[in-house]
Amino acid sequence: MMRRIAAWVTLLLLLPGTARAEWHAREAAIMGTRIAVEVWHEDPAVAAAAIDEVIAEMHRIDELMSHYKPESQLSRVNREAAAAAVPVDLELADLIVRALAFSEMTGGAFDISYASVGYLYEYRERRRPTAAQIAAALPSVNWHLVVVDRHASTVRFGLPGMRIDLGGIAKGHAVDRGIAILRGRGITHGSVTAGGDSRILGDRRGRPWIVGIRHPDDGDRVIARIPLEDAAISTSGDYERFFDEDGVRYHHIINPRTGTSASGVRSVTVIGPEAILTDGLSTSLFVLGPERGLALIEGRDDVDAVIVRDDGKVFYSKGLAPP
Ligand code: AMP
Ligand code: MG
């Protein structure tokens, strides 16, 4: 009898398409970036349904917050909020409130109103604003002039010409939403990635997940490997969207004080409990630089960071420093 049961179990494991515990993975292109979802579940149908829901959630967030989509709520805010308070979903209002908290925390290094000058850059077309255009737009880069009424769920700008963009935290938010969906479906091992932002649920069935930090100039070279369980990790790099001109790299992370691409750093990786936190901090640290950036990280007990300076020197926060 025992032997017959054993043979039956073996057959089940060998039959293709039969329910068996394994990893299920999918990739998609959403929010202008690569989305990857991986889950472990004994039932492939449960895994597929969970992945479907995560992908649908990414599309939903993109529809709400994309500045490429004229009909998104964010685009409507950018068109109308200088004239009148614009009603938005509470999710968007809350995300903007969260962004303003990052501005407060970083002394304005993180500022979603960077977009008031940021939209003048077109990296693919190698287009950038003149010094005069930057000077004219710079007064509108001021997070104090972004006013959210959480009660009424509205957003209002203090100056005409202001624009906001959530590219510095929206992917982290989407990743956290994805993990919440997996958890809600009873999944205990998985990962969700949106571009440079990932979050890991559980371990890789008895071992940690190993996440590599790439070399800023070579996507195939890894400068550090970090074992992770139940954690989020975000990397901001000057190689994501950029063009080079006369030895200067014009890239997508803007110093709100100058209106030009932040200099001195090639990449920043932050590890912490939630992707919205690591996403916001990685962008912030890129602007702050190694010294002020690490001071911010060491002042908290929930995050670590790896910073690659433009001369190649790598800085680790105390929690990661090699012995
Ligand atoms: P990340 O890839 O998460 O570092 O985010 C980079 C994105 O953040 C850019 O593509 C912009 O959408 C946005 N961003 C750029 N500069 C800033 C800034 N100083 N504060 C907030 N968001 C920014
Ligand atoms: Mg970020």
Side-chain angles (χ1 to χ4, degrees):
M1 183 64 191
M2 275 312 287
R3 192 179 292 160
R4 275 180 60 187
I5 289 176
W8 185 76
V9 169
T10 313
L11 189 65
L12 241 189
L13 289 173
L14 292 175
L15 275 177
T18 316
R20 59 178 187 251
E22 60 179 24
W23 290 95
H24 304 270
R26 206 180 310 157
E27 291 195 7
I30 312 166
M31 302 195 286
T33 196
R34 172 183 163 268
I35 306 294
V37 186
E38 211 177 334
V39 307
W40 189 91
H41 201 277
E42 54 260 19
D43 185 342
V46 171
I51 294 173
D52 284 345
E53 194 184 342
V54 173
I55 299 280
E57 179 71 352
M58 302 282 178
H59 282 296
R60 186 191 66 77
I61 292 171
D62 192 32
E63 297 294 324
L64 184 64
M65 312 184 178
S66 170
H67 71 266
Y68 294 110
K69 297 188 192 305
E71 69 285 3
S72 75
Q73 286 192 15
L74 183 100
S75 294
R76 171 135 188 258
V77 165
N78 280 337
R79 278 193 305 270
E80 300 173 11
V86 176
V88 294
D89 286 2
L90 194 56
E91 180 185 7
L92 183 55
D94 279 344
L95 202 60
I96 295 171
V97 167
R98 190 75 194 261
L100 298 175
F102 275 111
S103 300
E104 181 94 56
M105 187 201 303
T106 61
F110 189 93
D111 187 340
I112 53 174
S113 72
Y114 90 91
S116 309
V117 28
Y119 86 100
L120 297 167
Y121 291 82
E122 284 295 345
Y123 300 96
R124 257 184 243 156
E125 287 144 44
R126 305 176 64 84
R127 192 144 45 86
R128 63 188 173 89
T130 63
Q133 285 171 318
I134 292 175
L138 219 42
S140 299
V141 180
N142 184 347
W143 59 276
H144 293 100
L145 302 179
V146 179
V147 181
V148 179
D149 182 337
R150 249 200 113 251
H151 215 67
S153 200
T154 60
V155 185
R156 172 98 218 239
F157 293 158
L159 273 181
M162 278 186 77
R163 281 178 173 76
I164 56 170
D165 178 81
L166 294 168
I169 51 169
K171 287 186 260 89
H173 169 65
V175 164
D176 286 336
R177 288 288 314 137
I179 289 290
I181 285 169
L182 297 184
R183 273 208 176 120
R185 285 173 172 263
I187 284 159
T188 50
H189 304 272
S191 73
V192 179
T193 295
D197 304 290
S198 298
R199 186 162 160 191
I200 283 154
L201 186 58
D203 64 6
R204 235 190 127 74
R205 305 279 302 163
R207 322 173 258 139
W209 295 71
I210 307 291
V211 179
I213 301 177
R214 62 161 274 184
H215 189 286
D217 290 322
D218 182 354
D220 294 329
R221 247 169 88 194
V222 170
I223 61 155
R225 284 191 175 78
I226 302 185
L228 289 178
E229 290 180 25
D230 270 319
I233 181 165
S234 295
T235 298
S236 296
D238 70 358
Y239 46 81
E240 290 290 349
R241 271 193 287 143
F242 72 95
F243 63 92
D244 291 322
E245 194 184 297
D246 299 329
V248 179
R249 175 152 297 190
Y250 297 93
H251 64 84
H252 67 316
I253 300 173
I254 302 294
N255 183 337
R257 290 236 287 250
T258 61
T260 57
S261 300
S263 57
V265 167
R266 301 298 313 283
S267 84
V268 176
T269 299
V270 177
I271 298 149
E274 288 188 310
I276 190 165
L277 176 65
T278 57
D279 190 3
L281 283 177
S282 68
T283 311
S284 301
L285 262 61
F286 202 107
V287 176
L288 288 171
E291 202 174 312
R292 289 195 296 154
L294 283 178
L296 175 62
I297 294 291
E298 304 296 7
R300 310 176 53 113
D301 57 12
D302 56 347
V303 284
D304 272 300
V306 181
I307 304 177
V308 183
R309 201 165 63 183
D310 60 356
D311 61 359
K313 186 171 161 61
V314 184
F315 295 78
Y316 295 88
S317 64
K318 289 203 181 83
L320 290 174

PDB file of all heavy atoms in Angstrom, residues 67 108-114 165-169 171 196-197 234-237 240-241 252-256 279-280 282-284 286-287, ligand 1:
ATOM      1  N   HIS A  67       2.641  60.995 -15.741  1.00  0.00           N
ATOM      2  CA  HIS A  67       2.621  62.325 -16.341  1.00  0.00           C
ATOM      3  C   HIS A  67       2.657  62.234 -17.861  1.00  0.00           C
ATOM      4  O   HIS A  67       2.564  63.237 -18.547  1.00  0.00           O
ATOM      5  CB  HIS A  67       3.756  63.207 -15.787  1.00  0.00           C
ATOM      6  CG  HIS A  67       5.108  62.796 -16.249  1.00  0.00           C
ATOM      7  ND1 HIS A  67       5.902  61.944 -15.519  1.00  0.00           N
ATOM      8  CD2 HIS A  67       5.807  63.094 -17.371  1.00  0.00           C
ATOM      9  CE1 HIS A  67       7.033  61.752 -16.171  1.00  0.00           C
ATOM     10  NE2 HIS A  67       6.992  62.424 -17.284  1.00  0.00           N
ATOM     11  N   GLY A 108      14.621  69.404   1.612  1.00  0.00           N
ATOM     12  CA  GLY A 108      14.259  69.826   0.255  1.00  0.00           C
ATOM     13  C   GLY A 108      15.039  69.138  -0.856  1.00  0.00           C
ATOM     14  O   GLY A 108      14.838  69.445  -2.033  1.00  0.00           O
ATOM     15  N   ALA A 109      15.931  68.193  -0.514  1.00  0.00           N
ATOM     16  CA  ALA A 109      16.648  67.462  -1.581  1.00  0.00           C
ATOM     17  C   ALA A 109      15.656  66.638  -2.400  1.00  0.00           C
ATOM     18  O   ALA A 109      15.784  66.518  -3.625  1.00  0.00           O
ATOM     19  CB  ALA A 109      17.711  66.542  -0.982  1.00  0.00           C
ATOM     20  N   PHE A 110      14.674  66.068  -1.719  1.00  0.00           N
ATOM     21  CA  PHE A 110      13.578  65.391  -2.416  1.00  0.00           C
ATOM     22  C   PHE A 110      12.468  66.419  -2.575  1.00  0.00           C
ATOM     23  O   PHE A 110      12.010  67.001  -1.585  1.00  0.00           O
ATOM     24  CB  PHE A 110      13.080  64.193  -1.603  1.00  0.00           C
ATOM     25  CG  PHE A 110      12.110  63.327  -2.356  1.00  0.00           C
ATOM     26  CD1 PHE A 110      12.561  62.229  -3.081  1.00  0.00           C
ATOM     27  CD2 PHE A 110      10.752  63.610  -2.364  1.00  0.00           C
ATOM     28  CE1 PHE A 110      11.672  61.434  -3.802  1.00  0.00           C
ATOM     29  CE2 PHE A 110       9.867  62.823  -3.086  1.00  0.00           C
ATOM     30  CZ  PHE A 110      10.325  61.735  -3.799  1.00  0.00           C
ATOM     31  N   ASP A 111      12.044  66.670  -3.796  1.00  0.00           N
ATOM     32  CA  ASP A 111      11.018  67.690  -4.018  1.00  0.00           C
ATOM     33  C   ASP A 111      10.278  67.352  -5.314  1.00  0.00           C
ATOM     34  O   ASP A 111      10.839  67.489  -6.406  1.00  0.00           O
ATOM     35  CB  ASP A 111      11.679  69.077  -4.109  1.00  0.00           C
ATOM     36  CG  ASP A 111      10.652  70.197  -4.173  1.00  0.00           C
ATOM     37  OD1 ASP A 111       9.485  69.924  -4.534  1.00  0.00           O
ATOM     38  OD2 ASP A 111      11.023  71.348  -3.872  1.00  0.00           O
ATOM     39  N   ILE A 112       9.021  66.922  -5.172  1.00  0.00           N
ATOM     40  CA  ILE A 112       8.270  66.519  -6.370  1.00  0.00           C
ATOM     41  C   ILE A 112       8.018  67.703  -7.311  1.00  0.00           C
ATOM     42  O   ILE A 112       7.766  67.496  -8.492  1.00  0.00           O
ATOM     43  CB  ILE A 112       6.929  65.826  -6.018  1.00  0.00           C
ATOM     44  CG1 ILE A 112       6.095  66.689  -5.070  1.00  0.00           C
ATOM     45  CG2 ILE A 112       7.196  64.435  -5.426  1.00  0.00           C
ATOM     46  CD1 ILE A 112       4.694  66.122  -4.797  1.00  0.00           C
ATOM     47  N   SER A 113       8.150  68.934  -6.806  1.00  0.00           N
ATOM     48  CA  SER A 113       7.980  70.097  -7.690  1.00  0.00           C
ATOM     49  C   SER A 113       9.257  70.381  -8.493  1.00  0.00           C
ATOM     50  O   SER A 113       9.308  71.354  -9.246  1.00  0.00           O
ATOM     51  CB  SER A 113       7.535  71.329  -6.904  1.00  0.00           C
ATOM     52  OG  SER A 113       8.582  71.838  -6.106  1.00  0.00           O
ATOM     53  N   TYR A 114      10.275  69.496  -8.352  1.00  0.00           N
ATOM     54  CA  TYR A 114      11.449  69.552  -9.240  1.00  0.00           C
ATOM     55  C   TYR A 114      10.976  69.582 -10.690  1.00  0.00           C
ATOM     56  O   TYR A 114      11.648  70.092 -11.592  1.00  0.00           O
ATOM     57  CB  TYR A 114      12.365  68.322  -9.017  1.00  0.00           C
ATOM     58  CG  TYR A 114      11.978  67.179  -9.911  1.00  0.00           C
ATOM     59  CD1 TYR A 114      12.558  67.027 -11.170  1.00  0.00           C
ATOM     60  CD2 TYR A 114      10.957  66.308  -9.553  1.00  0.00           C
ATOM     61  CE1 TYR A 114      12.140  66.032 -12.034  1.00  0.00           C
ATOM     62  CE2 TYR A 114      10.535  65.323 -10.403  1.00  0.00           C
ATOM     63  CZ  TYR A 114      11.127  65.185 -11.645  1.00  0.00           C
ATOM     64  OH  TYR A 114      10.693  64.224 -12.508  1.00  0.00           O
ATOM     65  N   ASP A 165       5.849  65.713 -10.067  1.00  0.00           N
ATOM     66  CA  ASP A 165       6.052  64.403 -10.681  1.00  0.00           C
ATOM     67  C   ASP A 165       6.414  63.422  -9.569  1.00  0.00           C
ATOM     68  O   ASP A 165       7.235  63.736  -8.707  1.00  0.00           O
ATOM     69  CB  ASP A 165       7.192  64.484 -11.702  1.00  0.00           C
ATOM     70  CG  ASP A 165       7.465  63.146 -12.321  1.00  0.00           C
ATOM     71  OD1 ASP A 165       6.730  62.767 -13.245  1.00  0.00           O
ATOM     72  OD2 ASP A 165       8.379  62.448 -11.848  1.00  0.00           O
ATOM     73  N   LEU A 166       5.793  62.254  -9.603  1.00  0.00           N
ATOM     74  CA  LEU A 166       5.974  61.295  -8.508  1.00  0.00           C
ATOM     75  C   LEU A 166       6.949  60.174  -8.850  1.00  0.00           C
ATOM     76  O   LEU A 166       7.023  59.169  -8.134  1.00  0.00           O
ATOM     77  CB  LEU A 166       4.615  60.721  -8.099  1.00  0.00           C
ATOM     78  CG  LEU A 166       3.676  61.776  -7.484  1.00  0.00           C
ATOM     79  CD1 LEU A 166       2.257  61.237  -7.380  1.00  0.00           C
ATOM     80  CD2 LEU A 166       4.179  62.201  -6.110  1.00  0.00           C
ATOM     81  N   GLY A 167       7.722  60.357  -9.936  1.00  0.00           N
ATOM     82  CA  GLY A 167       8.662  59.322 -10.375  1.00  0.00           C
ATOM     83  C   GLY A 167       9.644  58.859  -9.301  1.00  0.00           C
ATOM     84  O   GLY A 167      10.162  57.753  -9.376  1.00  0.00           O
ATOM     85  N   GLY A 168       9.873  59.691  -8.287  1.00  0.00           N
ATOM     86  CA  GLY A 168      10.823  59.321  -7.233  1.00  0.00           C
ATOM     87  C   GLY A 168      10.260  58.392  -6.176  1.00  0.00           C
ATOM     88  O   GLY A 168      11.028  57.785  -5.417  1.00  0.00           O
ATOM     89  N   ILE A 169       8.915  58.235  -6.107  1.00  0.00           N
ATOM     90  CA  ILE A 169       8.338  57.316  -5.108  1.00  0.00           C
ATOM     91  C   ILE A 169       7.210  56.412  -5.625  1.00  0.00           C
ATOM     92  O   ILE A 169       6.829  55.462  -4.944  1.00  0.00           O
ATOM     93  CB  ILE A 169       7.786  58.038  -3.839  1.00  0.00           C
ATOM     94  CG1 ILE A 169       6.845  59.181  -4.205  1.00  0.00           C
ATOM     95  CG2 ILE A 169       8.902  58.471  -2.918  1.00  0.00           C
ATOM     96  CD1 ILE A 169       6.089  59.721  -2.989  1.00  0.00           C
ATOM     97  N   LYS A 171       7.032  54.142  -7.966  1.00  0.00           N
ATOM     98  CA  LYS A 171       7.344  52.725  -8.186  1.00  0.00           C
ATOM     99  C   LYS A 171       7.418  51.994  -6.841  1.00  0.00           C
ATOM    100  O   LYS A 171       6.939  50.875  -6.718  1.00  0.00           O
ATOM    101  CB  LYS A 171       8.637  52.564  -8.982  1.00  0.00           C
ATOM    102  CG  LYS A 171       8.471  52.924 -10.457  1.00  0.00           C
ATOM    103  CD  LYS A 171       9.726  52.618 -11.247  1.00  0.00           C
ATOM    104  CE  LYS A 171      10.582  53.782 -11.502  1.00  0.00           C
ATOM    105  NZ  LYS A 171      11.599  54.264 -10.714  1.00  0.00           N
ATOM    106  N   GLY A 196      14.045  49.953 -10.620  1.00  0.00           N
ATOM    107  CA  GLY A 196      15.075  49.826  -9.585  1.00  0.00           C
ATOM    108  C   GLY A 196      14.547  49.574  -8.193  1.00  0.00           C
ATOM    109  O   GLY A 196      15.309  49.634  -7.225  1.00  0.00           O
ATOM    110  N   ASP A 197      13.262  49.309  -8.075  1.00  0.00           N
ATOM    111  CA  ASP A 197      12.660  49.123  -6.749  1.00  0.00           C
ATOM    112  C   ASP A 197      12.093  47.718  -6.607  1.00  0.00           C
ATOM    113  O   ASP A 197      11.295  47.288  -7.429  1.00  0.00           O
ATOM    114  CB  ASP A 197      11.542  50.147  -6.540  1.00  0.00           C
ATOM    115  CG  ASP A 197      12.049  51.559  -6.728  1.00  0.00           C
ATOM    116  OD1 ASP A 197      12.819  52.020  -5.864  1.00  0.00           O
ATOM    117  OD2 ASP A 197      11.718  52.182  -7.752  1.00  0.00           O
ATOM    118  N   SER A 234      16.006  49.608  -3.091  1.00  0.00           N
ATOM    119  CA  SER A 234      15.857  50.516  -4.238  1.00  0.00           C
ATOM    120  C   SER A 234      17.217  51.032  -4.653  1.00  0.00           C
ATOM    121  O   SER A 234      18.035  51.379  -3.804  1.00  0.00           O
ATOM    122  CB  SER A 234      14.996  51.727  -3.865  1.00  0.00           C
ATOM    123  OG  SER A 234      13.692  51.331  -3.570  1.00  0.00           O
ATOM    124  N   THR A 235      17.424  51.100  -5.954  1.00  0.00           N
ATOM    125  CA  THR A 235      18.641  51.726  -6.467  1.00  0.00           C
ATOM    126  C   THR A 235      18.275  52.866  -7.397  1.00  0.00           C
ATOM    127  O   THR A 235      17.414  52.714  -8.263  1.00  0.00           O
ATOM    128  CB  THR A 235      19.515  50.695  -7.213  1.00  0.00           C
ATOM    129  OG1 THR A 235      19.908  49.670  -6.293  1.00  0.00           O
ATOM    130  CG2 THR A 235      20.771  51.359  -7.777  1.00  0.00           C
ATOM    131  N   SER A 236      18.916  54.015  -7.184  1.00  0.00           N
ATOM    132  CA  SER A 236      18.813  55.149  -8.103  1.00  0.00           C
ATOM    133  C   SER A 236      20.163  55.299  -8.772  1.00  0.00           C
ATOM    134  O   SER A 236      21.192  55.329  -8.095  1.00  0.00           O
ATOM    135  CB  SER A 236      18.503  56.433  -7.332  1.00  0.00           C
ATOM    136  OG  SER A 236      17.245  56.353  -6.720  1.00  0.00           O
ATOM    137  N   GLY A 237      20.176  55.403 -10.103  1.00  0.00           N
ATOM    138  CA  GLY A 237      21.457  55.523 -10.804  1.00  0.00           C
ATOM    139  C   GLY A 237      21.393  56.582 -11.894  1.00  0.00           C
ATOM    140  O   GLY A 237      20.326  56.844 -12.448  1.00  0.00           O
ATOM    141  N   GLU A 240      20.113  55.510 -15.712  1.00  0.00           N
ATOM    142  CA  GLU A 240      18.750  55.089 -16.054  1.00  0.00           C
ATOM    143  C   GLU A 240      18.196  55.884 -17.238  1.00  0.00           C
ATOM    144  O   GLU A 240      17.698  55.319 -18.201  1.00  0.00           O
ATOM    145  CB  GLU A 240      17.832  55.254 -14.847  1.00  0.00           C
ATOM    146  CG  GLU A 240      18.100  54.279 -13.707  1.00  0.00           C
ATOM    147  CD  GLU A 240      17.706  52.852 -14.040  1.00  0.00           C
ATOM    148  OE1 GLU A 240      17.039  52.636 -15.059  1.00  0.00           O
ATOM    149  OE2 GLU A 240      18.100  51.948 -13.278  1.00  0.00           O
ATOM    150  N   ARG A 241      18.252  57.212 -17.098  1.00  0.00           N
ATOM    151  CA  ARG A 241      17.794  58.080 -18.198  1.00  0.00           C
ATOM    152  C   ARG A 241      18.758  59.247 -18.271  1.00  0.00           C
ATOM    153  O   ARG A 241      18.859  60.026 -17.321  1.00  0.00           O
ATOM    154  CB  ARG A 241      16.369  58.580 -17.937  1.00  0.00           C
ATOM    155  CG  ARG A 241      15.328  57.617 -18.493  1.00  0.00           C
ATOM    156  CD  ARG A 241      13.951  58.224 -18.521  1.00  0.00           C
ATOM    157  NE  ARG A 241      13.408  58.310 -17.175  1.00  0.00           N
ATOM    158  CZ  ARG A 241      12.665  59.304 -16.733  1.00  0.00           C
ATOM    159  NH1 ARG A 241      12.374  60.312 -17.517  1.00  0.00           N
ATOM    160  NH2 ARG A 241      12.219  59.306 -15.494  1.00  0.00           N
ATOM    161  N   HIS A 252      18.315  62.011 -14.950  1.00  0.00           N
ATOM    162  CA  HIS A 252      16.935  62.267 -14.530  1.00  0.00           C
ATOM    163  C   HIS A 252      16.755  62.654 -13.060  1.00  0.00           C
ATOM    164  O   HIS A 252      15.636  62.898 -12.639  1.00  0.00           O
ATOM    165  CB  HIS A 252      16.078  61.049 -14.859  1.00  0.00           C
ATOM    166  CG  HIS A 252      16.418  59.830 -14.044  1.00  0.00           C
ATOM    167  ND1 HIS A 252      17.723  59.437 -13.800  1.00  0.00           N
ATOM    168  CD2 HIS A 252      15.643  58.922 -13.430  1.00  0.00           C
ATOM    169  CE1 HIS A 252      17.712  58.347 -13.069  1.00  0.00           C
ATOM    170  NE2 HIS A 252      16.463  58.007 -12.830  1.00  0.00           N
ATOM    171  N   ILE A 253      17.825  62.713 -12.258  1.00  0.00           N
ATOM    172  CA  ILE A 253      17.648  63.121 -10.865  1.00  0.00           C
ATOM    173  C   ILE A 253      18.155  64.560 -10.729  1.00  0.00           C
ATOM    174  O   ILE A 253      19.331  64.846 -10.980  1.00  0.00           O
ATOM    175  CB  ILE A 253      18.360  62.163  -9.894  1.00  0.00           C
ATOM    176  CG1 ILE A 253      17.753  60.759 -10.075  1.00  0.00           C
ATOM    177  CG2 ILE A 253      18.201  62.653  -8.448  1.00  0.00           C
ATOM    178  CD1 ILE A 253      18.464  59.675  -9.295  1.00  0.00           C
ATOM    179  N   ILE A 254      17.244  65.436 -10.374  1.00  0.00           N
ATOM    180  CA  ILE A 254      17.499  66.878 -10.431  1.00  0.00           C
ATOM    181  C   ILE A 254      17.702  67.430  -9.027  1.00  0.00           C
ATOM    182  O   ILE A 254      16.927  67.133  -8.114  1.00  0.00           O
ATOM    183  CB  ILE A 254      16.289  67.592 -11.099  1.00  0.00           C
ATOM    184  CG1 ILE A 254      16.036  67.051 -12.515  1.00  0.00           C
ATOM    185  CG2 ILE A 254      16.481  69.112 -11.110  1.00  0.00           C
ATOM    186  CD1 ILE A 254      17.138  67.339 -13.519  1.00  0.00           C
ATOM    187  N   ASN A 255      18.752  68.229  -8.874  1.00  0.00           N
ATOM    188  CA  ASN A 255      18.958  68.945  -7.619  1.00  0.00           C
ATOM    189  C   ASN A 255      17.990  70.134  -7.604  1.00  0.00           C
ATOM    190  O   ASN A 255      18.115  71.039  -8.431  1.00  0.00           O
ATOM    191  CB  ASN A 255      20.412  69.424  -7.551  1.00  0.00           C
ATOM    192  CG  ASN A 255      20.700  70.126  -6.229  1.00  0.00           C
ATOM    193  OD1 ASN A 255      19.784  70.630  -5.577  1.00  0.00           O
ATOM    194  ND2 ASN A 255      21.953  70.142  -5.846  1.00  0.00           N
ATOM    195  N   PRO A 256      17.024  70.133  -6.674  1.00  0.00           N
ATOM    196  CA  PRO A 256      16.004  71.180  -6.693  1.00  0.00           C
ATOM    197  C   PRO A 256      16.566  72.581  -6.464  1.00  0.00           C
ATOM    198  O   PRO A 256      15.933  73.566  -6.819  1.00  0.00           O
ATOM    199  CB  PRO A 256      15.061  70.795  -5.539  1.00  0.00           C
ATOM    200  CG  PRO A 256      15.328  69.354  -5.293  1.00  0.00           C
ATOM    201  CD  PRO A 256      16.764  69.132  -5.622  1.00  0.00           C
ATOM    202  N   ASP A 279      12.609  53.777  -1.910  1.00  0.00           N
ATOM    203  CA  ASP A 279      12.551  54.510  -3.182  1.00  0.00           C
ATOM    204  C   ASP A 279      12.779  55.998  -2.933  1.00  0.00           C
ATOM    205  O   ASP A 279      13.642  56.630  -3.555  1.00  0.00           O
ATOM    206  CB  ASP A 279      11.192  54.267  -3.840  1.00  0.00           C
ATOM    207  CG  ASP A 279      11.128  54.777  -5.267  1.00  0.00           C
ATOM    208  OD1 ASP A 279      12.151  55.266  -5.777  1.00  0.00           O
ATOM    209  OD2 ASP A 279      10.042  54.697  -5.874  1.00  0.00           O
ATOM    210  N   GLY A 280      12.012  56.566  -2.002  1.00  0.00           N
ATOM    211  CA  GLY A 280      12.153  57.997  -1.704  1.00  0.00           C
ATOM    212  C   GLY A 280      13.548  58.324  -1.205  1.00  0.00           C
ATOM    213  O   GLY A 280      14.149  59.338  -1.591  1.00  0.00           O
ATOM    214  N   SER A 282      16.389  56.609  -1.782  1.00  0.00           N
ATOM    215  CA  SER A 282      17.469  56.435  -2.767  1.00  0.00           C
ATOM    216  C   SER A 282      17.559  57.675  -3.655  1.00  0.00           C
ATOM    217  O   SER A 282      18.657  58.181  -3.924  1.00  0.00           O
ATOM    218  CB  SER A 282      17.292  55.153  -3.581  1.00  0.00           C
ATOM    219  OG  SER A 282      16.179  55.229  -4.433  1.00  0.00           O
ATOM    220  N   THR A 283      16.427  58.206  -4.069  1.00  0.00           N
ATOM    221  CA  THR A 283      16.429  59.432  -4.874  1.00  0.00           C
ATOM    222  C   THR A 283      16.987  60.599  -4.043  1.00  0.00           C
ATOM    223  O   THR A 283      17.804  61.388  -4.518  1.00  0.00           O
ATOM    224  CB  THR A 283      15.001  59.742  -5.360  1.00  0.00           C
ATOM    225  OG1 THR A 283      14.441  58.556  -5.926  1.00  0.00           O
ATOM    226  CG2 THR A 283      14.984  60.851  -6.386  1.00  0.00           C
ATOM    227  N   SER A 284      16.561  60.680  -2.780  1.00  0.00           N
ATOM    228  CA  SER A 284      17.017  61.768  -1.891  1.00  0.00           C
ATOM    229  C   SER A 284      18.530  61.733  -1.693  1.00  0.00           C
ATOM    230  O   SER A 284      19.212  62.760  -1.759  1.00  0.00           O
ATOM    231  CB  SER A 284      16.363  61.634  -0.515  1.00  0.00           C
ATOM    232  OG  SER A 284      14.965  61.679  -0.609  1.00  0.00           O
ATOM    233  N   PHE A 286      20.745  60.483  -3.532  1.00  0.00           N
ATOM    234  CA  PHE A 286      21.462  60.833  -4.760  1.00  0.00           C
ATOM    235  C   PHE A 286      21.716  62.338  -4.791  1.00  0.00           C
ATOM    236  O   PHE A 286      22.781  62.802  -5.206  1.00  0.00           O
ATOM    237  CB  PHE A 286      20.664  60.401  -5.996  1.00  0.00           C
ATOM    238  CG  PHE A 286      21.515  60.234  -7.205  1.00  0.00           C
ATOM    239  CD1 PHE A 286      21.815  58.980  -7.698  1.00  0.00           C
ATOM    240  CD2 PHE A 286      22.060  61.335  -7.842  1.00  0.00           C
ATOM    241  CE1 PHE A 286      22.637  58.822  -8.796  1.00  0.00           C
ATOM    242  CE2 PHE A 286      22.890  61.198  -8.943  1.00  0.00           C
ATOM    243  CZ  PHE A 286      23.169  59.937  -9.420  1.00  0.00           C
ATOM    244  N   VAL A 287      20.728  63.115  -4.338  1.00  0.00           N
ATOM    245  CA  VAL A 287      20.881  64.579  -4.325  1.00  0.00           C
ATOM    246  C   VAL A 287      21.755  65.010  -3.146  1.00  0.00           C
ATOM    247  O   VAL A 287      22.601  65.899  -3.272  1.00  0.00           O
ATOM    248  CB  VAL A 287      19.490  65.255  -4.252  1.00  0.00           C
ATOM    249  CG1 VAL A 287      19.621  66.773  -4.136  1.00  0.00           C
ATOM    250  CG2 VAL A 287      18.645  64.889  -5.483  1.00  0.00           C
TER     251      VAL A 287
HETATM  252  P1  AMP B   1      14.471  56.975  -8.856  1.00  0.00           P
HETATM  253  O1  AMP B   1      14.704  56.234 -10.110  1.00  0.00           O
HETATM  254  O2  AMP B   1      13.541  56.354  -7.917  1.00  0.00           O
HETATM  255  O3  AMP B   1      15.685  57.479  -8.204  1.00  0.00           O
HETATM  256  O4  AMP B   1      13.693  58.277  -9.240  1.00  0.00           O
HETATM  257  C1  AMP B   1      14.120  59.135 -10.249  1.00  0.00           C
HETATM  258  C2  AMP B   1      12.905  59.911 -10.604  1.00  0.00           C
HETATM  259  O5  AMP B   1      12.545  60.772  -9.516  1.00  0.00           O
HETATM  260  C3  AMP B   1      13.098  60.820 -11.775  1.00  0.00           C
HETATM  261  O6  AMP B   1      12.859  60.151 -12.987  1.00  0.00           O
HETATM  262  C4  AMP B   1      12.057  61.874 -11.503  1.00  0.00           C
HETATM  263  O7  AMP B   1      10.790  61.402 -11.902  1.00  0.00           O
HETATM  264  C5  AMP B   1      12.058  61.979  -9.997  1.00  0.00           C
HETATM  265  N1  AMP B   1      12.946  63.025  -9.455  1.00  0.00           N
HETATM  266  C6  AMP B   1      14.057  63.564 -10.017  1.00  0.00           C
HETATM  267  N2  AMP B   1      14.648  64.445  -9.183  1.00  0.00           N
HETATM  268  C7  AMP B   1      13.881  64.478  -8.061  1.00  0.00           C
HETATM  269  C8  AMP B   1      13.967  65.187  -6.826  1.00  0.00           C
HETATM  270  N3  AMP B   1      14.954  66.039  -6.555  1.00  0.00           N
HETATM  271  N4  AMP B   1      12.995  64.955  -5.899  1.00  0.00           N
HETATM  272  C9  AMP B   1      11.981  64.103  -6.150  1.00  0.00           C
HETATM  273  N5  AMP B   1      11.862  63.397  -7.287  1.00  0.00           N
HETATM  274  C10 AMP B   1      12.797  63.565  -8.229  1.00  0.00           C
END
